[in-house]
Amino acid sequence: MKWLLVAIIALSNTAGDLLNTAGMKRLGPVEDLSLRSYLLLCLAIVRSPMVLSGIAALAIGFFAIMSLLSIATVSFAIPATASSYLVETLLAKYLLKEDVRWRRWAAAGLVVIGVILLRW
């Protein structure tokens, strides 16, 4: 059950982060820090299916991690869910067309090695 919840968390957090990134890039950059600017941004967010889907995916991840924390220690749960970093890096490179340099690949790889060590 623990590893099933870890998979749900990793998948939903990855989907949520990618959907939110893609949706926010469509909305454009935040250039002004005024209250009016943020209100307009909030209005645009609630009209964006991508961002709303991303928020829903992250909500699923949130409830899954709460479930995981009820049956596992935090020292297991948080590092285990970090496996999504490699998947997110891969998808950022190939779906979002981000420029991912070797240091980020190395960092994501080290995280995965840490998750593998948790299994033992």
Side-chain angles (χ1 to χ4, degrees):
M1 181 63 148
K2 287 193 299 190
W3 287 102
L4 175 62
L5 285 169
V6 167
I8 291 169
I9 294 163
L11 292 173
S12 61
N13 284 350
T14 298
D17 288 342
L18 290 172
L19 286 166
N20 282 338
T21 299
M24 291 306 294
K25 286 185 179 189
R26 284 187 179 182
L27 295 179
V30 175
E31 296 177 3
D32 183 13
L33 299 178
S34 68
L35 178 60
R36 182 179 186 282
S37 176
Y38 277 112
L39 290 175
L40 290 173
L41 178 64
C42 288
L43 185 59
I45 286 171
V46 298
R47 292 181 178 168
S48 171
M50 279 188 136
V51 176
L52 292 177
S53 298
I55 292 169
L58 289 172
I60 291 168
F62 171 77
F63 288 110
I65 200 158
M66 297 305 286
S67 298
L68 180 59
L69 289 171
S70 74
I71 62 171
T73 62
V74 73
S75 63
F76 167 82
I78 302 307
T81 59
S83 60
S84 65
Y85 294 160
L86 181 63
V87 177
E88 285 189 34
T89 303
L90 283 165
L91 294 175
K93 171 130 181 92
Y94 295 109
L95 287 182
L96 299 177
K97 308 294 186 212
E98 292 182 3
D99 182 26
V100 180
R101 309 279 172 138
W102 72 270
R103 282 185 176 188
R104 289 193 185 165
W105 287 117
L110 288 172
V111 169
V112 169
I113 290 168
V115 172
I116 291 169
L117 290 174
L118 282 174
R119 184 73 170 121
W120 287 323

